[in-house]
Structure formats: structure tokens, C-alpha cells
Amino acid sequence: MSLRKKLLLVALCTLALPIAGWLYVRQMETLLREGQADALLASARAVARSLVVTGAVLPEDANGWYVQQATSPITVDGYGDDWAPLTPWSQALGPASNPRGKLLLAQDGEWLYLYADVRDTRRTRADASDANALAADHLILTLANAAGKQRYLLASAAPGPLTAHSLDPPVAGFPDPLTAQWQEDGSGYRVELRLSRSLKLRALGVGVYDASAGGDPTAADTRPLLAYSTLLSGELGRLAPDDAQARLLAPQGWLLARSGRLNTTRGTDGQPGWFASIIYRSLLGKRLEDASLWSQDVPRLDTREVAHAGAGKPVSVWRSGEQRGSVVLTAAVPIGQGGKVDGVLLLEQASRTVPLLANRALLGLLLTSFGVLLVAGAILLAFATRLSLRLGRLRNAAERAQLNDGRLDGLFEDGRFPMTDSMDEIGDLARSFEKLFGMVGSYTDYLRTLTSKLSHELNTPLAIVKSSLDNLEHAALTPEGRPYLERARDGVARLGALVRAMSESSRMERSITSAEPEDVDLRDVVRGCADAYRALIGPRRLDCVLPDAPLVLHCAPELVAQALDKLFDNALSFTPEQGWLRLSLSPIDNGAQIELANQGPLLPEAMQGRLFDTLVSLRDKATPGDVPHLGLGLYVVRLVAERHHGVATARNLDDASGVAFALQLHGMSRQRLGG
């Protein structure tokens, strides 16, 4: 991974800033919520205490029959079509674990309506006037007011109107008989009737008798009547806060009074848009309770907060508002004394402030964090780019110095390693490289001049030894000493050959420096060398591959031929008797490449980059009588390549059958690739 990518990854650490800010905004939003919830709960407790202190009229028994407000005229015909809007809030007849049916009660300005739907698949029919009516399927209706109570038997042998007779002695003010409508089908029967509100009923009882199940035929579940009270609503309106909706409920959730309305309209501070709402709900807002479909105008609330308050536990809940981007805070507290819960007070407050403030804080945080990330990323990218460029210059300088034997002379305009004036760590590294390559250059210069120095220094002692051996040959020697003399002469001869080789190398370096270039078709040079080599390779095979078009280069042809001689001598020494050699010439960009490949052992990996250094050789040690190899041939090849602004390389062949040495030449003073 590049340095720029690593630094960009490091820049991602700045993401901790928006994450920390997001957590802070969430905490702030939580504190705002808790503060509003505590304040609303305190207001609800105060209103509840005020209702108790002021003696607001609450039902003595909250477990009663609830009478809904009729939303449309009801026709008493025994059918439930007119009751459809009120059906979702029907009340169970009989025990809650096994209800016999459902009961609906409604009222308007004049009448109290009753609709009972009883499930009964096994019917026993009889009219209310029949002597055996109490043994058949029937209803017992109990009416109670301040004057007393009256029970009625409702039974019919067939669908249609029925007349209910009183089971008790007549009480003044109660109707006798009572008319109703009876309808039935395969699932059961339905009874519908209406009563005048002038009766001022306080309680009502409904008993269902199933002849197939048995039981008390005259029993009725009598409960007080509960209904929405305008008087109680007025009292509640005087006590409740102006910006909240207050609802007084029975412990079971039936609506007894209400004041105020939820204000979810757009305020002066604006309202969060759909994008801000999505951000709030997904990133900031904690879980909200789902908004009930009938939460605003329903006769009964069956929600978690009502259940908790009905059990005597105050609670606050956040819900989604009906308007986009709004939330509703609900505080529910119980009303009662001595541990008895007579009702539940519900205070609801629509809040746009919390999501609006949270959204503004989050959006501001996101914009600030995004700007910081952009600036930090741009700074780190610029720094990484500059650092990469500086390191690239350092690497290129090291590679160029390596190609030039570690010498810094001529590599740069001022002859110094780049960035050595920098005062940072890269400057320290550049100065270390400069010092290292200076030492390498000095050692290389020493090695380059070592051959000429050795040849010069060895000539005089070698001449003394040779003259001494010549004089010793004329002296009287024993037969046993004659072999030692011959060995000394052989050693002197080999030593002289070495001195001549070193002198030849020194002369070669001087000749390479002073060679005069000319325009030459390299095909003629390579072809001539190949023809000369065939007479020297014995049974080996030599292939010569040349381009079809002339390949003209401004160069010194004698230097190219000498370099090829060195390469051929090296290749011939490693090629087996029945092996092959291949000499090829090919054009390259602004120059030419000459390659000599031969069959033989592969180059060691560790030596491929050092073969063209001076005094380096891979040949076996010389045997007695042979002249040892000094490793100067490939060094001369490299000098020729550098004289032509090129490079000498060595590689193993792809099929691992041998090695290939190449000369890349670009001309001495001008480059021209002719064709």
C-alpha cells in the first residue's frame, strides 16, 4: 500500500470527531426529552391533585358500561349497520375469559340506545309472554336510577319486534312494557332498543341466559353508566396547561373528559422537513411508540401508559406525532385516594422543539465535520503527495548512483545528493545516502585504478625474479633442484600474464575514453563478429539473428566488437561441447540491443547484479598451468555500454536452458536509429 493511501487511512481517524459529536447530540436530545417528560409529569400530578381537592365528580365505580356519543342517527331495527362506526369499542357480555357476546351503548340528545349481539348456535326459542320464557334463550335487562331499579325479560320465538315485560313490581317512572327489536341468524341473535334519557339512568344491567349452558335465568351484570362529561371537561380545562391536551379516563381507558387539542401545526421556528425527519428518526431519536390510529378522537385508549397509570404507576411516553417531523410526549398519572385508582389523567404535548434542535445540532455537526474532514484530507493528501515525491527523488537518486558505481559526480548539477539541505528526517536520510555513496565511490575508484597500480608495481619485482631465474639456470644445479626451477619459471610466466592482463585492462579503459564515434550499421559489426567466432567454437552451434532493415548508430565499432569479444569469451567458457550460442541484434527506443545467449548453467540470484563489477568472476579456480581469470572482461563490457549511454545486463533464460547477456546502446554523442 502506498504512503498516500496509508495517510488517507490515517485521515479516516478524524471520523471520531463526528461520531463523538453524534453521541453528544444524542445525549443532549436524551436530556431534553427527560427534562420535558419530568416537567409534564409534574404538571400532570398537579392537575390530578387539583381534581381531587376541588371535588371533581368522578364515577364511584369506574368499572361500568360506557355510553358512546352517537355520530349519526340510529334506527332501532335489530341490525348493526348504524352501529358500524362504534363497533371497534364494543364491550364484552359475560365473563372476560369466555364472553357470550358484545354490547354497544350510545346516546344522543333524547335517547339512550342499546345493541346486544349474542353468540348462540343452539337456540331454544320462546316469547317473553310465554310461561316457559325463563327456560329459553333470553336477555335480562336491569335499569336503575334514583327512584329504584326495574328488570325486564327480553325473549322472542321469531325475528321482529318484541315486548319486554317487567320481572319486578312496577316502579314509577320506568316504562312497562318495554319494546325492542329481535333479529337472529345461524350464529346467534341481536337485540336493539332505545330508552328515553329522561329516565336519568345511573346503572344498567345485561344478563345473557343460554338454555343449553344453564345457570341463573334472572342474573344480570349491573354496572354504572360511564359517559363523556362536558361538566368535567370544563373543570379539567380550567386546571390543565394551555399548551397541552388533557384527557381524563376511567382506569380501563374510557374517555370521561377532555380539554385542549394537540398543536402540531408549523410554528415560527419552522418544522423539520422529510430529510431532517429521517435523520432524526434514524440517527438521533430513540425508539418512539407507534401513533395509534384513533389516538386523537377515540372513546377508549388501550395504550401502555394508560395501563401503567391504571395500575397506579405514573409514566411518560414519546410517540410519533400525526404531523411530519413532530413527536408527542404523553404523561399518564393515576387519580385517586388511599391507594384506590378512580381514573387516569393523560397530559399530551406535541413537541417540535426536540427534533428541531436535535436536527439543527446534527446538521451543523455534520457540516462542520464534513468541512474538517475535507480540509484534513486535503492537507494529508498534499503532505503525502509531497512526501511521496521526495522519497521518489531519493529512490531515483539512489538508483542512478547505483548504476554509476555509487559515484555522485555528474549525477546532479551541483554534484551533491538531492535534499541534503533539508532539516527533517528525509534530509538526514539523504545525507546518510550521500555519505554512503561517497564511500562507495571512493572504494570503486580505488578498485578501478587497482589494476594499473598493481601492474606498475609488479613489473619491477617480476623483472628481478625473472633475471634471477635466468642467472640461476646457468649455474650448476643438482637434478633434484631442476624441477623447482621449472616450477618457478612457470609461476613467473603466469604472473607476467596477469600483469599484462591488468595492463591491457588499463589500456582498454583509456581507449574506451578516447574512442572516436562514427555512423555504423551494427548489422555489419555483429555479422563480422559472428563469422569470426564460428571458427573458435568447435562442435558448438552459433546462430546469428539480425534485423532486415539497416540499424545505424553513432558509436565506436571497435569498442562494440571488443565488448562482444569479452561476452563471447565468457559465454564460450560455460557452454558445453555440444551446446549452442545465439547472437542477436534488435532495435530499441533511440538505440539498439545486442544479446548473446548461450546454453549452460544459470546465474546465481545473488550475483546477477554484480557480474559487471571489476574483479568479479564465476569461473572455477585456475588449474596448474592455466592463467587465472581476474573478472575484468565483463567489467570492460559495462564500460563500453556506459560509453554509449547504455547499460549491460545479464539474465537467465525463461526456459532455464542458459543465460543471456545484453548490451543496450544509445549512441555516443547523438542517437539516430536509421532504417
Side-chain angles (χ1 to χ4, degrees):
M1 184 180 294
S2 65
L3 187 60
R4 277 184 290 184
K5 292 181 179 179
K6 290 180 180 179
L7 287 178
L8 285 178
L9 288 178
V10 173
L12 294 180
C13 295
T14 55
L15 289 175
L17 175 64
I19 293 175
W22 168 62
L23 294 176
Y24 174 76
V25 173
R26 280 182 63 92
Q27 185 66 24
M28 179 188 68
E29 189 254 359
T30 300
L31 293 176
L32 286 175
R33 279 195 184 190
E34 292 177 353
Q36 286 196 3
D38 292 342
L40 196 60
L41 273 175
S43 299
R45 289 190 181 98
V47 174
R49 286 193 297 269
S50 299
L51 287 173
V52 174
V53 171
T54 57
V57 180
L58 292 175
E60 297 179 358
D61 187 358
N63 186 20
W65 298 112
Y66 188 77
V67 182
Q68 303 183 52
Q69 295 295 318
T71 56
S72 60
I74 296 177
T75 303
V76 180
D77 54 7
Y79 294 100
D81 298 343
D82 298 334
W83 297 86
L86 309 179
T87 302
W89 300 280
S90 60
Q91 303 166 79
L93 286 172
S97 59
N98 185 23
R100 300 287 182 85
K102 60 184 180 181
L103 176 67
L104 288 170
L105 296 172
Q107 65 182 4
D108 55 19
E110 298 181 3
W111 302 98
L112 172 66
Y113 299 91
L114 181 147
Y115 179 81
D117 187 354
V118 181
R119 296 197 306 269
D120 189 0
T121 57
R122 299 175 59 186
R123 293 293 314 283
T124 301
R125 298 176 176 86
D127 287 331
S129 59
D130 195 318
N132 296 321
L134 289 176
D137 295 335
H138 63 269
L139 292 180
I140 298 297
L141 178 64
T142 301
L143 304 179
N145 58 15
K149 67 177 181 178
Q150 190 79 38
R151 292 184 302 164
Y152 297 88
L153 173 63
L154 285 76
S156 179
L162 67 86
T163 300
H165 295 280
S166 174
L167 296 177
D168 302 317
V171 177
F174 287 98
D176 188 19
L178 186 66
T179 59
Q181 289 288 332
W182 182 289
Q183 298 293 336
E184 62 180 45
D185 54 22
S187 63
Y189 59 91
R190 292 166 296 279
V191 178
E192 186 177 15
L193 58 85
R194 69 179 182 180
L195 301 168
S196 175
R197 293 191 62 182
S198 62
L199 293 175
K200 297 182 180 180
L201 296 178
R202 292 183 177 181
L204 183 144
V206 179
V208 180
Y209 180 77
D210 187 354
S212 61
D216 186 355
T218 61
D221 184 9
T222 303
R223 305 179 189 177
L225 292 179
L226 306 177
Y228 181 83
S229 172
T230 55
L231 180 63
L232 193 56
S233 297
E235 183 68 21
L236 184 62
R238 287 189 291 272
L239 297 175
D242 295 334
D243 59 345
Q245 174 179 267
R247 286 192 272 189
L248 185 60
L249 309 173
Q252 294 77 24
W254 295 109
L255 179 64
L256 303 178
R258 180 177 64 189
S259 69
R261 300 287 290 183
L262 288 177
N263 181 18
T264 57
T265 58
R266 188 186 301 271
T268 56
D269 292 334
Q271 188 170 338
W274 63 270
F275 180 70
S277 299
I278 292 176
I279 292 178
Y280 174 74
R281 297 181 188 277
S282 59
L283 297 180
L284 287 176
K286 295 183 178 179
R287 188 180 68 87
L288 299 176
E289 297 285 343
D290 294 333
S292 174
L293 295 177
W294 306 289
S295 61
Q296 188 76 358
D297 296 299
V298 293
R300 183 182 181 184
L301 286 179
D302 187 14
T303 57
R304 182 172 65 88
E305 59 269 24
V306 174
H308 278 273
K313 300 177 181 178
V315 67
S316 62
V317 173
W318 287 89
R319 292 185 179 277
S320 300
E322 295 180 352
Q323 297 293 328
R324 182 189 66 197
S326 66
V327 293
V328 175
L329 172 60
T330 302
V333 296
I335 302 176
Q337 290 180 334
K340 180 185 176 183
V341 178
D342 298 326
V344 173
L345 176 64
L346 213 64
L347 279 187
E348 298 166 297
Q349 191 175 51
S351 175
R352 296 178 307 277
T353 305
V354 171
L356 190 62
L357 290 177
N359 279 327
R360 286 179 176 176
L362 181 62
L363 290 176
L365 173 68
L366 291 178
L367 291 176
T368 303
S369 301
F370 184 69
V372 171
L373 286 176
L374 284 181
V375 173
I379 292 175
L380 285 176
L381 182 61
F383 173 74
T385 302
R386 182 173 180 272
L387 188 60
S388 299
L389 293 176
R390 296 178 68 194
L391 291 177
R393 287 185 59 197
L394 202 60
R395 178 204 60 205
N396 295 336
E399 290 179 352
R400 288 198 301 269
Q402 181 182 1
L403 293 177
N404 202 43
D405 295 337
R407 292 172 297 168
L408 300 179
D409 297 339
L411 289 177
F412 306 100
E413 295 180 359
D414 56 356
R416 295 195 62 188
F417 211 76
M419 292 177 290
T420 54
D421 296 332
S422 300
M423 302 307 297
D424 55 3
E425 287 78 3
I426 295 182
D428 294 338
L429 182 61
R431 287 186 288 273
S432 298
F433 276 170
E434 184 181 40
K435 181 179 179 181
L436 174 63
F437 282 112
M439 296 174 62
V440 172
S442 300
Y443 180 69
T444 303
D445 291 338
Y446 170 75
L447 293 179
R448 290 168 62 88
T449 59
L450 180 61
T451 54
S452 60
K453 293 177 180 178
L454 285 177
S455 62
H456 177 73
E457 295 296 334
L458 290 177
N459 275 326
T460 301
L462 185 60
I464 295 174
V465 173
K466 185 177 180 182
S467 62
S468 299
L469 291 176
D470 291 338
N471 294 330
L472 185 60
E473 186 178 4
H474 298 289
L477 293 176
T478 62
E480 292 81 3
R482 182 64 60 178
Y484 296 105
L485 179 61
E486 295 298 329
R487 292 178 185 175
R489 281 187 172 277
D490 182 64
V492 170
R494 292 173 59 193
L495 187 57
L498 289 176
V499 172
R500 288 192 298 274
M502 290 188 292
S503 300
E504 180 183 357
S505 174
S506 300
R507 290 193 300 272
M508 176 64 69
E509 292 184 23
R510 291 191 295 271
S511 64
I512 290 173
T513 304
S514 60
E516 293 293 334
E518 58 180 293
D519 291 336
V520 178
D521 186 355
L522 288 180
R523 295 188 306 169
D524 298 335
V525 177
V526 174
R527 185 185 299 111
C529 292
D531 293 340
Y533 298 154
R534 287 192 177 94
L536 305 175
I537 61 176
R540 303 174 182 85
R541 186 182 81 252
L542 174 62
D543 298 327
C544 184
V545 181
L546 302 175
D548 297 333
L551 189 56
V552 179
L553 191 71
H554 193 69
C555 63
E558 67 279 3
L559 295 183
V560 175
Q562 289 179 5
L564 289 179
D565 291 344
K566 301 297 182 182
L567 290 177
F568 173 75
D569 179 65
N570 179 76
L572 187 62
S573 62
F574 290 99
T575 305
E577 288 293 329
Q578 302 299 324
W580 53 266
L581 296 94
R582 182 177 64 250
L583 182 60
S584 60
L585 173 66
S586 59
I588 60 174
D589 293 339
N590 298 324
Q593 175 174 291
I594 304 174
E595 184 178 81
L596 178 60
N598 66 279
Q599 183 180 4
L602 301 180
L603 298 174
E605 291 292 336
M607 293 296 295
Q608 291 187 23
R610 300 176 49 202
L611 287 176
F612 296 94
D613 293 342
T614 182
L615 302 179
V616 175
S617 176
L618 292 179
R619 300 174 189 259
D620 295 335
K621 293 182 179 180
T623 56
D626 295 334
V627 178
H629 197 274
L630 295 181
L632 297 174
L634 295 181
Y635 174 66
V636 172
V637 172
R638 193 191 78 182
L639 294 179
V640 172
E642 292 176 353
R643 184 67 176 86
H644 291 83
H645 302 95
V647 63
T649 60
R651 63 181 178 88
N652 294 320
L653 296 177
D654 295 337
D655 57 1
S657 61
V659 298
F661 290 80
L663 273 176
Q664 294 182 3
L665 308 176
H666 297 286
M668 295 179 65
S669 59
R670 71 176 186 273
Q671 296 91 280
R672 182 173 64 88
L673 187 60

